[in-house]
Amino acid sequence: MSTAVNGTFASPAANADYTAHLDTAAGGLLSQVLAGMSGWSMVITVLLVLIAYDQFKYLWNKGSLIGPAWKTPFFGPFLSSIYPKMDEYKAKWASGDLSCVSVFHKFVIMASSRDMARKVFNSPSFVKPCVVDAAYKILRPNNWVFLDGKAHVDYRKGLNGLFTRQALEVYLPGQEDVYDSYFSKFLDITQRQNEGKPLPFMPQFRELMCAVSCRTFVGHYISDSAVKKIADDYYMITAALELVNFPIVIPFTKTWYGKRAADMVFDEFSKCAAKSKVRMAAGGNVTCILDGWVKSMQDSERYRQKVAKGIEVDAAEKPAMLLREFSDFEIALTLFTFLFASQDATSSASTWLFQLMADRPEVLDKVRVENLALRDGDRNVRCNMDLLENMTYTRAVVKEVLRYRPPVIFVPYVVKKPFAVTESYTAPKGSMIIPCVYPALHDPEVYPNPEHFDPDRWISGDAEAQSKNWLVFGTGPHYCLGQTYAQLNLMMMIGKASMHLDWKHHVTPRSEDIKVFATIFPMVSLTLVGTVLAHSPSLSSLRHSRNVKLQYPTLNNSLQDDCPLTFAPRP
């Protein structure tokens, strides 16, 4: 009976002998499967599984978005990311308000319409600006640009005072000195070194804008040779921060060279910070952004010390923004971000500005008329804020250049948490979403005939009222801090050049086609020759000069004769 019970109710698996038999059978099956596969078969199987997962993940993230039906395994459109073409970007933007692509592990969403771009810019709870993986190593992970939320807002408040009207006027003399020096160099290059023959000028504009930036940011604390070194090496930093690149620093790669170049800039700017602290503590005058920032720190510290000692302080003595003391290296990191934000963008803008002016002499004539009239015919009058603020036509030219060929065509953001971009699509956490500004600036319903360069649209048209489409400097909490500085700087540059120089561009059929490298440049290298104006025209030669803001007269023959398109030595 006991035997029958045991045979009926006891589990066979409870029998040790039977369990061992099961283990042996299972192990034997796995062994047989593995034994039947070669090493290559195993590799191919694993590879196929990974490819299937990569495709599934892409399609899952893609959802209802416009984009490729499938992804090139692992790599995606890698080659087109390395060698981006403007026509491909335009096709992507034209495909829909939202589109997508996946490169390596990055799932990228393009927000192409104005409203989609603005939504991304104005959604700090869901997104934050991002850069390529290597940027954390090049810019350093504790850089303020990687701050988010309240920490970012508070940090920006401490920098806002460096870009007020009063502060910007302080920087003008140093900027104009740089233009004086480099315009002389431009003439020497074209007239003496190149014997009057045209040559590509984009490298010279990159160096010029680097010099102007350094003088504005760190004044005369940096040597001319260091500025030249930074200008020459900054190309390596740009290359290291391309959208697709090595995420780690490997010797002799772009990221390695870029980090070395950035470290050199940090070292130079740290030295400048130390010098400024000594000079400002001794009562020196503010001449650059660094001085203004250091003075604010020292004023804040003096105020805190008085309060700590119980000294009564008048409310007027309290700094508008109490700042902590920043180390030399912290200051260098922040100043580098200013250079990072400005170098490629202003190099692009200045290159397009000189080219477009040369190809449209009637526009250059009007800029020259306005700048001379505002100075009562004396081209040697130094620039000031009142002059800049009354350059109506020059300002329109600069704004039209920035609209027609915006230096920044998109700004990458990373999604911090699931982001309902539309009712039908939610961007997954960790994906990259990129608001694109170029389509908004070329919207024919807002800017009629958008592919036509027309500065007058900012005066007689309604372009100025289209603030929602003016996304050149972004919008929202991360808008460009230096947007006013950038526009005034370009206005001073082209206004001064119009009075002291003349230049000729050798046009090709592709001169206004676009080459993408971090920002956008002319497809064909800007090739210029230049000369100086033999003397300033008198105001009597400027028709309606007192009404120049309204009528924008053309130059008469006598003035045109003073602007020959041949080479002449500087008088």
Side-chain angles (χ1 to χ4, degrees):
M1 180 67 175
S2 62
T3 302
V5 170
N6 289 337
T8 303
F9 298 104
S11 169
N15 186 297
D17 292 337
Y18 190 82
T19 302
H21 175 73
L22 286 176
D23 291 343
T24 302
L29 179 61
L30 179 61
S31 298
Q32 290 175 15
V33 172
L34 293 176
M37 297 180 64
S38 66
W40 281 111
S41 297
M42 293 178 64
V43 170
I44 292 173
T45 300
V46 172
L47 185 61
L48 290 174
V49 170
L50 292 176
I51 289 174
Y53 172 75
D54 189 48
Q55 294 299 321
F56 172 79
K57 185 177 180 181
Y58 165 68
L59 293 173
W60 179 267
N61 288 336
K62 177 177 179 290
S64 60
L65 294 184
I66 298 170
W70 66 287
K71 173 187 175 183
T72 302
F74 307 124
F75 297 101
F78 172 64
L79 291 179
S80 62
S81 299
I82 295 180
Y83 305 107
K85 294 180 175 61
M86 193 64 182
D87 288 344
E88 294 177 357
Y89 280 134
K90 288 182 177 179
K92 196 76 174 172
W93 298 330
S95 67
D97 290 357
L98 292 174
S99 58
C100 69
V101 71
S102 182
V103 182
F104 291 133
H105 63 291
K106 295 182 184 295
F107 182 72
V108 183
I109 304 163
M110 289 280 193
S112 302
S113 69
R114 179 200 69 183
D115 292 340
M116 285 293 101
R118 290 185 66 87
K119 182 168 186 176
V120 176
F121 280 130
N122 288 289
S123 298
S125 298
F126 294 93
V127 300
K128 66 177 181 179
C130 72
V131 285
V132 296
D133 295 337
Y136 293 94
K137 299 175 178 63
I138 294 173
L139 301 180
R140 303 301 175 88
N142 57 336
N143 199 306
W144 81 281
V145 295
F146 301 127
L147 296 177
D148 190 31
K150 186 176 185 300
H152 173 263
V153 172
D154 290 344
Y155 201 105
R156 278 181 70 105
K157 287 180 180 178
L159 302 175
N160 286 336
L162 305 176
F163 295 93
T164 62
R165 183 188 188 280
Q166 181 180 2
L168 293 177
E169 185 155 34
V170 170
Y171 315 144
L172 293 180
Q175 294 164 8
E176 193 161 12
D177 288 345
V178 172
Y179 287 126
D180 286 338
S181 174
Y182 272 83
F183 287 169
S184 296
K185 289 181 181 180
F186 289 177
L187 291 167
D188 184 65
I189 291 170
T190 56
Q191 294 181 13
R192 184 181 63 82
Q193 298 180 28
N194 214 47
E195 299 178 343
K197 293 177 289 188
L199 75 163
F201 246 79
M202 194 265 279
Q204 279 73 32
F205 288 135
R206 285 182 66 89
E207 183 180 333
L208 166 64
M209 300 318 293
C210 182
V212 171
S213 294
C214 286
R215 188 67 69 236
T216 304
F217 302 158
V218 298
H220 289 276
Y221 299 117
I222 191 169
S223 67
D224 290 342
S225 60
V227 170
K228 180 69 166 64
K229 176 68 173 171
I230 292 173
D232 290 344
D233 290 358
Y234 197 89
Y235 180 90
M236 293 187 286
I237 298 173
T238 302
L241 295 174
E242 289 178 299
L243 188 60
V244 178
N245 223 324
F246 284 107
I248 57 176
V249 179
I250 301 174
F252 308 111
T253 61
K254 289 181 181 180
T255 50
W256 184 76
Y257 285 113
K259 186 175 186 306
R260 287 183 55 182
D263 289 346
M264 180 270 292
V265 179
F266 291 146
D267 183 57
E268 288 293 337
F269 284 0
S270 294
K271 294 175 185 176
C272 293
K275 295 175 185 176
S276 177
K277 287 179 178 179
V278 172
R279 181 173 168 274
M280 297 312 294
N285 294 325
V286 173
T287 61
C288 60
I289 284 177
L290 173 58
D291 284 344
W293 198 19
V294 167
K295 184 177 186 303
S296 294
M297 295 178 206
Q298 294 178 349
D299 288 347
S300 296
E301 180 59 24
R302 281 191 286 270
Y303 174 81
R304 281 192 291 266
Q305 288 179 1
K306 288 182 179 180
V307 171
K309 293 176 181 178
I311 301 175
E312 185 175 349
V313 183
D314 189 273
E317 293 185 40
K318 183 179 180 180
M321 184 72 185
L322 285 173
L323 303 181
R324 68 173 176 86
E325 182 76 16
F326 289 85
S327 69
D328 296 345
F329 189 70
E330 284 179 310
I331 293 172
L333 288 179
T334 300
L335 294 174
F336 181 84
T337 63
F338 294 166
L339 186 65
F340 172 67
S342 65
Q343 177 59 17
D344 289 316
T346 56
S347 297
S348 167
S350 60
T351 301
W352 285 110
L353 193 50
F354 271 88
Q355 174 172 309
L356 293 167
M357 293 299 93
D359 296 346
R360 295 161 176 80
E362 73 283 358
V363 174
L364 177 57
D365 286 349
K366 292 179 183 180
V367 170
R368 182 176 291 131
V369 166
E370 179 173 75
N371 276 265
L372 286 169
L374 289 171
R375 294 171 170 83
D376 290 330
D378 184 358
R379 67 178 180 179
N380 294 313
V381 171
R382 306 300 280 179
C383 201
N384 57 56
M385 287 297 289
D386 288 337
L387 277 176
L388 287 170
E389 290 172 348
N390 282 287
M391 293 180 187
T392 305
Y393 189 78
T394 307
R395 177 177 179 273
V397 168
V398 168
K399 293 203 73 169
E400 181 65 356
V401 169
L402 296 175
R403 183 206 66 80
Y404 182 64
R405 291 293 182 262
V408 178
I409 58 177
F410 49 64
V411 183
Y413 279 69
V414 65
V415 179
K416 299 189 292 185
K417 58 185 179 181
F419 176 28
V421 189
T422 67
E423 292 182 358
S424 61
Y425 183 76
T426 297
K429 178 182 178 180
S431 60
M432 184 182 289
I433 186 165
I434 302 179
C436 305
V437 308
Y438 191 95
L441 295 166
H442 287 75
D443 184 348
E445 294 184 5
V446 177
Y447 304 109
N449 197 6
E451 299 307 320
H452 175 61
F453 180 81
D454 179 18
D456 284 309
R457 73 171 79 240
W458 297 95
I459 302 169
S460 57
D462 66 347
E464 199 67 57
Q466 307 299 332
S467 57
K468 286 190 174 182
N469 281 66
W470 180 248
L471 297 176
V472 173
F473 299 98
T475 187
H478 290 277
Y479 75 91
C480 178
L481 197 61
Q483 58 178 311
T484 301
Y485 155 71
Q487 293 176 81
L488 293 177
N489 183 30
L490 293 170
M491 288 166 58
M492 178 167 68
M493 177 190 71
I494 201 63
K496 189 174 183 66
S498 73
M499 296 183 297
H500 292 267
L501 303 173
D502 208 345
W503 58 96
K504 182 180 180 181
H505 172 225
H506 285 246
V507 182
T508 73
R510 303 195 68 190
S511 289
E512 291 193 23
D513 289 352
I514 295 172
K515 177 182 180 180
V516 181
F517 177 70
T519 178
I520 60 175
F521 290 97
M523 180 64 72
V524 180
S525 295
L526 175 58
T527 304
L528 294 176
V529 292
T531 184
V532 296
L533 293 173
H535 61 272
S536 299
S538 65
L539 274 182
S540 61
S541 69
L542 303 179
R543 291 180 295 147
H544 311 298
S545 62
R546 295 302 180 185
N547 296 320
V548 68
K549 295 177 197 172
L550 298 176
Q551 298 189 31
Y552 311 112
T554 57
L555 298 177
N556 63 22
N557 290 333
S558 64
L559 184 55
Q560 291 172 354
D561 291 340
D562 288 337
C563 308
L565 294 179
T566 56
F567 285 93
R570 175 180 285 275

